[in-house]
Each structure stands twice: as C-alpha cells, then as structure tokens.
C-alpha cells in the first residue's frame, strides 16, 4: 500500500465537512481583504421618464474598494467618453443627463461589474426603456342605437403605452360614469352594459387613458348612445359577453396576481358567482372586484391551477363558463448561494438551488466569466447546481455567479469565496448587560469572526463550563439561549472564540428580574349618576425596574376633566352616562407589563316606571301593484308597535294551485319599510300575507292579499341529486330528485334522460320519461363509466342545459385471478406473499382488495390425520400486490391461493401455491409427574409436547432442593433423548422438598419449561426423637405457666364484662389470630415464608426475597398436599423437618395418618 497517497473524501463526506461553512449572513469585517459584494443595483426592468435624468444604481463594497465597469447591449460602455454620462465617485452608479438629447439613444441593456484584486462581482442585466404615452389614433365613432333591454359594449382600444395606461370613463363634465352590477368596465377598458335603460341615452361616453410615468391623460372621441323603445327586448336568460364560449384558458406566473373576468348580459341583470372545480377558492388571497365580475388571486402558487367556474344567474336561468388556469413559474430561489470564508487547505461548497416551470437551466461563472472559458482549476468540481472547492490556497479568492433561466426570466446571484487565515475576533460589544423577566427566554449573543470559523465555548462566573442541554442551548452562531430564565441564572457569562490562530473572549452579564403582576384588579362597578367611582389596581414589580401606570377607557386615553389618577387607583367624580365603559389599568416597566379591566355602569338614582312591551299588531291594507310575469309590488300599512320598534316584516305566500293551505316564507323587509318587490315563479296562484316582528315576538298574520296568478313557462331548473349506478351487470340505474309542482313552471312535467359511455366520442342516447324519479338503461357493457344528464321539460319548453354526472354501469364478479404468486418465508411463524395485480378491465367492478386463503395441510412430522385443516383468510384492501401472513405454525406445509375482490364478490382463485415453514422451538412437555417417593429417590414421568414444531431432539431436566427457610439449593442438570420419558433420581435427601424444571428442545433451541415439586419420604427416627421433648420438665413447666397466664386474662375479662365494660372482640381477634393461619416469624422460630393467601404462595423457581415472602409463580398446587397432615414437626434443635402448615379452613387433625404422637411444639404454637 502506498503510504504517501492521500484519501480524497467522497461527496457525502464533503457535505458533512462543509456544514460549518453553510451559515447564513456570514459577514467579513470591512478591514479585512475580501472580494467585491454588490450592495445596491437598479431593478431588472427600469422605465424612465424622459423629463428626468436616468439614474442606474450600482453600489458595491470590498477590500480594497472595487472599481466599476459597465457594458451596454453586451459591449463595453466607455463612460468617460460620453459627456452626458457621469459615474458617481467611489461608486458605479451612472447618472445620464438626457436634457436636450434623444432619450431613445440611451435605451438598452446595461450590466455593471465591480472588480478588485480578489475577484469580480456582476450585477443583473438592467433593461432601460423610456416611458411612452402615445396619442389616440384618430377615428370616427358612429352613433349607436340600441333597443331598451338589449346588451351593449363600448370599445375603448387605448394606445399601447409604457407602462400600460390606467383606463376610466368620464363625461364632458369630467365626472366619472357610475358603474354598478348592470354597467361595468372590463380589465381591457371596454364598457359593458348587461342591459340598457332609457337613462343610458347620452352623447358623451368618453374613454380616458392616464399614463402614470408622464402623468398625462389622453382622451378618446366621445361615443353617442341612443336607447330606443319601439321594439324592446324582453326578459332573457344570461349569456356571457366576455369571455365567449363555454371554456377559455389563462396562464399565470407563480407569485403574480391571477385576474379572471366574466361579464354576462341578461334581463334581469345576472349575478356572477365563482367556484373552483375540485377544490376551494383561496379565501385568504382572494378578492372580488367589479361587482364580483372580476376574481383576483394574489401570490399565485402551483395549487392555484385548475378549472375556475364562473356562473351567471337571473330568475330565468343559469349559464356557466370554465376558465382553465395554468400556473407556470419563472426561476425562484430554493437556496441561493452564500459567501464562503475558508482557511487555507479547507474545502467548501457553493449550492445554487432553484426551481421553476419549466425547470430552469443553471450556468456558473467565476469573476464574470463562464466556467468553460475560465482558467482550469483542479481544485474545483462542478456538479449541476453545486460547486465544490477542495484544498483552497491563499490567493484563490474569487466571486462565483450562478445564473438560472427559463423562458419566463432569470435569476443571478454572486457568492464570493474568500481564503483567509485570521485569528478569532468577537464582534458583540463587551460587558453588555442583558435583562430578562423570570420564566422568559434569555439570549446572550457572541457574534464572532475568524478563519477557520471559531469554535464558541461558554462559562458562567468564569468557572462553570456551560454545555448544551437543559436549561442551556448553544446555537450555531454562538448565541447562548436559556429557555426559561430563573434568578439562579443571573451572573457573569464569558464566551470564548477559538481557532487555529488564536483565542478571544468576551464578558457579559445577565440579570433575571421579577415579573410585574397586578395583585388587586379593578372590579365591576354600578354607580348612580352624580356619585364617584373608584377603581383600584395594586401592582407588584421588580424594585430595580421603574414602573409606569396608565389608565384607558374603552382602549383609548382618558378624556379630560373629572378623572383623578393615583399610583394604585382611578377616581371618577360626578359620573354621567358618558362615563360608562371598560376601564383598563396597565402597569409598564422597561421589560414587561400587566393589565386588568373592569366595567362601569351608570344608573339613575330613581328608576323610571316600567314600560309595557307587547307584540305588534298585524299589518293591514295589503295591495298588489306593478304586476309583471315574474314580479309584483306589495304594499301594506304597519300596525301598532306597542312600545317596541318593529325590527322586520316577514312576507309569506300560499300556492293555491299546488299547496293550498300551506304558507311559505318568501322574503323579509326592514322594520321601516311598507313595501317590497316580490320575485315570482311561473304557473303559481299566489296569495300573500305579512307578519311584523319586534323584540317581544311576531304579530298575528295580516289578512291575505288578493290572488295573483302567473303564466306558465319553461322550467328554470333541472332535477337535483342526479345519480347513476349499476344494479345488475351491465345495467345503469339513473335516479334524481324530481321537481316540485312549484318548480315545474307549467303543466305536463317530464324529464329527458341522456346518457353515453365516457371518453368514447359516441353520441348521446336519450329517453323522455314521465314525472318519475328513475330510469334504467339495460344491456350495456359491464362496469364502464357513463356520462349522464337529466333535463326538465314541460309544455312550454326545456329547462337549462343540465350538468354532466359521471357513474358506472353494474359490475360482475372478477374474471381473472392474480398471477406470479411468490411466497417468501421470513421465519417459522411469518411469511410474505407477492402477486401480480389483475388488469383493471378484468375486475369488472370497484376494486376492494385481495383475499389470501391459506390452509395448513400438515406438520412435517405429523400424519395427514393429525394436521389442522382449518382454512384461514386475510383480506388486503386496495390495489395491493403484497401482504404478510402472521401466526403460522412452525415446521408445517401450507397451501395458498389468492382471489381478487370487488363490490360484487370474489374472482377465481390463483393457482395453488405450497410453502413450508422452518423448524421452531417446541411447546412445553404435556405433563410432568413425580411418583414413588422414598427416603432418597423419586421417579419422574413426562409426556412429549403437544406441538413439536420440528424434529424433537430431547429434553433438559433441572432440579434443586428447597430447604426449610425456602432457600434454593444447587441446580443439577440432566439431558435425555427424545424417546425417554421417565427417570428415577437417586441420592436425594430424605424429608426434603425438590423442585423440578423440564423443557423439550429441537435444533432451534429449548421451548418453555414446566415445573413440579415433590418431597422425599420423612425419616421416622428423627420424628421419634422429637416426641421426647414433651417429657422434659422444663417444657412441662413452661406449658403450665402459659396456661395460668391465659386463665388470669380470662378472669380479668369476665370481671370487666360484668361491670358493664365493652370487650373489643374485633380488636382482640385482630391481635390474636388463629395460629394455624398466621405466618410465623423468623425471630421466634416460627415460619412466615409460606401462606395460602394469593400474595404469599410457596416459592416456585426463585430465591426468597429479602422481606421473607415467597411468591408461587408457576404451580397452583397447595404446599399442604405434600405433607401428611397439618402439623409441623421439629427435631431437638428446633429445625423444621415436617410439612408446611395447612390452610386456614382445614381441620388441624385432618389428613394425619401417622401413628406418631402430636408434637409438644404444636401445642405451644396454639397459645401464641
């Protein structure tokens, strides 16, 4: 291996190395050498006023200060040779004096370069154009005559100015023409009349164009309009005047404002509404203009593309127009390149992340020269939007330019690479004092500079090192943040900046202040007029902060006069009704504030007499006038209001033709009105009535008006809730909500049902049906999309153009099964299945998912009769191609098929696939019994596991003794072959409890264990020696003393009972429980380790805990079952050789078959 060869880090490693250089807003102090940076430049598109000088800005900084050069239209611009052009000293800004010159001579594309010995920065290309306000072309406007009610467009056609002019219409008196919902001005300046009225007749419709840069106004020749009434146009449905047709397109750039416009004619005047198909209008960026005829969406983004539907509606019908909006994007920054400051031999990266639509093309330049034409640099690597500079050296500083462009514009940015070797310097002023309120965040700044970039460390009180972690956060820029400042955080802080060339420190101080709090808030006051009102506001604040108390009334300053402000109170003298309101005290310090408010209510000293309020009387004298086909004028006389003003009138109607006796709300009128214009529907026999409402309630209805009948007409609307879905294979059931008799507008209502297959280009099929709500198309293809329309008809014509509804014909069971079924077995209980989804046409319905059927045919060690035959099913929703099969049986053979599922059912199964699961660990042995105990032997029998889960390799037996203190003895381990199921253990201790653990094993390991416990037979010679204790004299004396003591206690209790004293039986029972069920204590020689309660069962497989209790984990056998009776026995030294004590409910003499005499120790225990 070549020891001298250096490793070149990969691209990913380079990115990690460069993270420290990607900090934002890294500034080089101006006293250090640095390449130029452009700080000010003119906009890319500069339109100048020919009456003023042209000023093209170009300012830059650098060390040494840069010099400036200009190009015009791609060639060098010799500024010094043009006497009209002046470059400002120390700057690249050009001032061009165009007085007395042709301004057009200086139009063009300018670009500025700023250069010093470390590099060259380049400005944007600045297009300079002269503003223009051309005269209107001479034209002769013919007088216009239009019939009353007709539509009209007056063309403006302004001259093309730079920038475009502002258009408005005025008359000869320079008064703007009124615009409303009927008369509107389009975005192009044309004037639209949805319908004309007699008052539109005039001879001075004048279009004006105002040019903003020159502040000049140009005027079009007046247009004369005469409205004729000899053949008036009747009422008509809406029709779009602009844009025309049913659809149009619009392209807008990202970030600009989208302007959509719809203007319609019609009589009555149509109303315009907007919606976005398949989405919501962006309400936060959307606004309407020109009486909702213009929709503007600001700051457009990609999500704003789509179909916008404008709808024009009057009482005769509705018309729609769809504007298809496409959003493109000029290049925009995702991440602009940033300046790099590198030390010699360091590596750095420049990134130029941009986006746009279409995708921008990125090109790199260095010092204003394309990289292809720049001198070759082996340390530089370019990868699309990234430039990597490796092992930079002193003197290699430069300015890189990134240019991103597409057909809609370009972006250009300068980023310098400055190679410096500088010791650290701290830019934050020293000894700064930071003050913050308790529980608020504190930020201590340590702005630094150096090359390499210095590492920042912090110390508190010059001793304690501050590390990242609660409560401190050290940011990448060196700022120390304390999330929740506390008084303990006050003190002196030191930040230290270090790099290879030195160290620099800075000191600052943090003071954590107490928060300002209002202790007593002002309270709600009810004060009689002429009295005084006092609001208190007591405050606590940090004593080192200067407080300022301010009082406000209704969030405004207090009025002058009767207000007296003290440090902790506000007094209002001689209050009047004008003093009512909300009063707020605000305590301000230099760091925080607190506020509280209260209301003041002023009342009369003596309340006036109560006023009686009642419902109003019903209106009277209803009269119908101005009767037309679709409207009528209703007037009435209001009734008595009874001291409560009328808030509104409710107008109802009764349809005597379709719904006699039913009154329906029609409209409302204000409480001051006595008339209303009512919009009517055709083919209705109207009768009207009016109700008045005040704050008490509604009046009784007025008497009905005279009857008014409207003539029949074609339907104004089509049926709603049109749906189409398949019921049987190939059938298409079309349903809708029928029109009511009121909506029919005329007799003989029926429906025209139209349908055709979607996207096939075939003609519409149609069928007229009577006044029904459903129609079924039969015999079509299975589950294909259809377009459906339902239109209302009557004897007087058809309804409006219906909307298209999409649905599917009836489906059927799927035709095909999934292909390419593959199974991957992950382990003994989990497999993964993959398949090729079926084709969409073969689904013949709505795809709901796939069903996987799998059955365990047999275990690899079982016969066919032993195998579990139950089939299992898993359903995977959606268009899936894989799924997991959990819970498999190890060492088994499975059979698997897959079916596709739609809303009709399941398709045919896939070809059967067989797979096998590997071996696993076996289950526990089926049983473990201990038999034939003797003094030193026990025989164990066991059965094989129910589930081998593989080839059984054998068994592992572990056993250990349990002594009389429940401590476990040493473990012995034995192994057996798979065909061995019994063993006789020898050399055991007599009268000893043994615990056994048995597990089966395969090649995959051992399975779960089962346990058993058993005693060896007791040595009777030891028990006989125990009987001799009862013959000892000391023992007989002890028993007598105990008996005498109990007798004395009984006599005392009897005497106290006879004297009326109360004997606390329960407390005595608690204090002296039955010794058969009390755990014995270690200190008195009795046994507390075994108990029959749930929480203190005998030990099963673990050592005795430190508290002496033993839990029984794995066996439900009672320990009493191991003994021959309920009495424990002791030998001469008091050690336990007998059995565990019995359960509480068992008789102490039950089950003792031994011929031995009872132990005297047991007799002693009964007295404890």
């Amino acid at each position: 291996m070549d020891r001298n060869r250096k490793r070149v880090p990969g691209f990913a490693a380079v990115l990690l190395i460069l993270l420290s250089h990607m900090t934002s807003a890294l500034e080089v102090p101006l006293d250090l050498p640095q390449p130029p940076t452009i700080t000010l430049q003119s906009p890319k598109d500069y339109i100048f006023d020919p009456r003023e000088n042209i000023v093209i800005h170009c300012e830059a900084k650098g060390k040494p200060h840069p010099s400036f050069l200009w190009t015009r239209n791609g060639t060098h611009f010799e500024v010094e040779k043009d006497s009209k052009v002046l470059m400002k000293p120390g700057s690249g800004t050009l001032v061009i004096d165009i007085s007395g010159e042709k301004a057009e001579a200086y139009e063009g594309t300018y670009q500025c370069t700023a250069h010093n010995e470390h590099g060259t920065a380049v400005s944007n290309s600045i297009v300079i154009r002269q503003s223009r306000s051309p005269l209107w072309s001479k034209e002769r406007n013919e007088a216009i005559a239009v019939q009353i009610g007709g539509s009209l467009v007056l063309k403006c056609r302004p001259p093309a100015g730079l920038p475009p002019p502002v258009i408005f219409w005025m008359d000869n008196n320079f008064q703007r023409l009124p615009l409303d919902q009927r008369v509107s001005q389009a975005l192009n300046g044309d004037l639209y009349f949805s319908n004309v009225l007699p008052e539109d007749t005039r001879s001075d419709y004048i279009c004006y164009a105002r040019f903003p840069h020159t502040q000049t106004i140009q005027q079009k020749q007046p247009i004369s309009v005469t409205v004729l009434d000899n053949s008036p146009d009747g009422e008509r449905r809406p029709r779009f005047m602009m844009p025309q047709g049913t659809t149009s397109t619009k392209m807008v750039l990202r970030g600009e404002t989208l302007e959509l416009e719809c203007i319609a004619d019609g009589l009555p005047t149509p109303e315009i509404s907007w919606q976005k198909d398949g989405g919501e209008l962006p309400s936060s960026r959307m606004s309407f203009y020109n009486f909702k005829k213009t929709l503007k969406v600001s700051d457009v983004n990609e999500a704003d593309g789509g179909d916008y539907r404008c709808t024009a509606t009057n009482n005769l019908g509705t018309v729609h127009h769809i504007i298809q909006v496409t959003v493109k994007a000029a290049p925009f920054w995702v991440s602009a390149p940033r300046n790099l400051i590198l030390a010699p031999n360091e590596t750095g990266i420049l990134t130029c992340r941009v986006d746009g639509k279409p995708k921008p093309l990125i090109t790199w330049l260095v010092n204003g020269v394309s990289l292809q034409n720049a001198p070759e640099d082996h340390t530089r690597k370019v990868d699309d939007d990234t430039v990597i500079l490796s092992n930079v050296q002193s003197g290699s500083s430069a300015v890189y330019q990134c240019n991103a462009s597409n057909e809609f514009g370009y972006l250009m940015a300068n980023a310098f690479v400055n190679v410096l070797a500088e010791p650290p310097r701290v830019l934050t002023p020293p000894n700064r004092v930071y003050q913050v309120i308790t529980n608020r965040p504190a930020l201590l700044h340590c702005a630094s500079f150096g090359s390499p970039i210095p590492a920042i460390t912090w110390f508190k009180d010059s001793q304690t090192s501050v590390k990242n972690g609660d409560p401190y956060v050290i940011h990448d820029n060196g700022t120390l943040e304390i999330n929740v400042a506390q008084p303990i955080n006050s003190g002196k802080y030191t930040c230290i900046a270090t790099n290879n060339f030195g160290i620099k420190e800075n000191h600052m101080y943090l003071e954590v202040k107490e928060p300002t709090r209002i202790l007593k808030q002002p309270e709600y006051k009810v004060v009689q007029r002429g009295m005084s009102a006092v609001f208190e506001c007591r405050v606590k604040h940090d004593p080192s902060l200067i407080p300022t108390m301010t009082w406000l009334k209704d969030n405004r300053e207090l009025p002058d006069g009767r207000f007296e402000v003290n440090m902790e109170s506000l007094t209002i003298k001689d209050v009047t009704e004008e003093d009512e309101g909300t009063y707020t005290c605000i305590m301000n310090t230099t760091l925080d504030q607190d506020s509280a408010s209260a209301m003041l209510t002023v009342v009369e000293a003596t309340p006036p007499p109560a006023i009686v309020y009642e419902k109003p009387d019903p209106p009277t004298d209803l009269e119908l006038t101005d009767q037309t086909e679709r409207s009528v004028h209703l007037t009435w006389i209001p009734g008595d209001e009874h001291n409560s003003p009328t808030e509104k009138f409710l107008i109802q109607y009764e349809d005597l033709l379709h719904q006699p006796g039913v009154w329906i709300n029609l409209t409302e009128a204000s409480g001051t009105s006595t008339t209303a214009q009512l919009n009517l529907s055709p083919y209705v026999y109207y009768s009207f009535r009016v109700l008045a409402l005040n704050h008490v309630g509604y009046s009784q209805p007025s008497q009905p008006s005279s009857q008014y009948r409207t003539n029949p007409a074609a339907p104004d609307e089509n049926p709603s809730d049109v749906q189409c879905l398949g019921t049987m294979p190939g059938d298409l059931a079309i349903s809708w909500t029928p029109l009511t008799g009121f909506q029919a507008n005329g007799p003989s209502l029926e429906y025209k049902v139209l349908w055709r297959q979607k996207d096939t280009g075939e003609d519409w099929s149609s069928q007229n049906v009577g006044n029904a709500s459903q129609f079924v198309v039969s015999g079509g293809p299975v589950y294909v999309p259809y377009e459906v329309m339902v239109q209302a008809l009557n004897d007087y014509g058809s309804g409006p153009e219906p909307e298209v509804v999409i649905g599917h014909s009836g489906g059927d069971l799927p035709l095909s099964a999934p292909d390419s079924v593959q199974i991957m077995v992950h382990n003994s209980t989990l497999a993964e299945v993959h398949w090729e989804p079926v084709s969409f046409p073969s689904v013949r319905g709505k795809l709901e998912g796939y069903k996987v059927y799998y059955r365990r045919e047999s275990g690899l060690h079982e016969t066919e009769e032993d195998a579990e035959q139950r089939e299992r099913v898993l359903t995977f929703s959606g268009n899936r191609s894989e799924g997991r099969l959990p819970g498999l049986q190890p060492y088994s053979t499975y059979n698997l098929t897959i079916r596709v599922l739609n809303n009709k059912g399941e398709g045919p199964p896939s070809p059967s696939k067989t797979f096998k699961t590997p071996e696993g660990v076996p289950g526990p042995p089926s049983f473990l019994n201990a038999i034939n105990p003797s003094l030193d032997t026990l025989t164990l029998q066991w059965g094989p596991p129910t589930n081998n889960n593989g080839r059984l390799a054998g068994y592992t037996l572990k056993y250990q003794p349990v002594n009389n203190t429940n401590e476990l003895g040493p473990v012995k381990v034995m192994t057996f072959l798979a065909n061995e199921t019994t063993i006789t253990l020898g050399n055991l201790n007599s009268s000893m409890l043994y615990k056994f653990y048995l597990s089966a094993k395969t090649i995959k390991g051992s399975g779960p264990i089962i346990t058993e416990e058993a005693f060896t037979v007791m040595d009777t010679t030891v028990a006989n020696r125990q009987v001799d204790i009862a013959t000892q004299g000391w023992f007989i004396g002890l028993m007598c003393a105990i008996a005498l003591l109990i007798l004395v206690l009984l006599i005392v209790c009897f005497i106290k009972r006879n004297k009326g004293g109360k004997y606390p039986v329960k407390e005595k029972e608690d204090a002296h429980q039955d010794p058969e069920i009390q755990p014995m204590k270690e200190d008195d020689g009795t046994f507390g380790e075994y108990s029959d309660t749930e929480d203190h069962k005998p030990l099963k497989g673990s050592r005795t805990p430190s508290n002496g209790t033993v839990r029984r984990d794995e066996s439900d056998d009672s320990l009493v079952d191991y003994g021959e009776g309920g009495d424990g026995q002791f030998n001469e030294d008091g050690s336990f050789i007998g059995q565990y004590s019995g359960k509480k409910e068992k008789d102490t003499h039950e089950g003792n078959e031994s011929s031995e005499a009872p132990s005297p120790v047991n007799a002693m225990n009964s007295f404890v």
Side-chain angles (χ1 to χ4, degrees), residues 144-204:
I144 297 173
V146 60
Q147 291 290 340
I148 186 171
S151 60
L152 176 63
V153 181
L154 299 182
K155 298 293 185 178
C156 179
R157 300 189 188 94
L162 187 65
V166 177
I167 306 300
F168 51 95
W169 288 79
M170 299 176 71
D171 59 15
N172 277 331
N173 297 322
F174 297 100
Q175 298 297 313
R176 281 186 180 257
L177 296 180
L179 302 178
D180 53 25
Q181 194 165 350
R182 185 180 63 89
V183 182
S184 56
Q185 178 183 312
L187 294 173
N188 65 358
D190 293 345
L191 194 63
Y192 283 77
F193 295 77
S194 296
N195 51 78
V196 295
L197 299 177
E199 55 262 35
D200 296 329
T201 297
R202 61 191 310 154
S203 60
D204 56 349

Side-chain angles (χ1 to χ4, degrees), residues 264-323:
D265 74 353
L267 187 64
T269 301
E271 292 183 357
I272 303 295
S273 61
W274 293 85
Q275 68 184 72
K276 185 180 181 186
D277 290 350
E280 298 288 335
L281 292 173
S283 56
S284 61
R285 298 179 287 111
M286 173 196 72
S287 55
F288 294 107
Y289 297 87
N290 197 14
F291 305 94
K292 296 192 73 172
K293 298 176 185 179
T294 303
L295 167 65
K296 292 187 180 182
V297 179
S298 61
D299 194 19
V300 169
N301 56 47
E302 288 77 5
D304 294 324
D307 292 346
Y308 288 75
R309 181 187 300 268
C310 66
T311 303
T313 305
N314 67 10
N315 54 12
L316 294 180
T318 298
V319 65
H320 304 279
H321 183 91
I322 294 178
I323 305 175

Side-chain angles (χ1 to χ4, degrees), residues 1080-1107:
M1080 296 183 177
K1081 313 301 182 201
E1082 292 180 357
D1083 54 359
D1084 60 4
T1086 59
F1087 309 97
E1089 291 81 357
Y1090 290 89
S1091 169
D1092 291 314
T1093 64
E1094 186 66 24
D1095 294 329
H1096 298 84
K1097 292 185 179 181
L1099 176 67
K1100 297 289 285 181
S1102 62
R1103 288 193 174 273
T1104 305
S1106 60
N1107 60 3

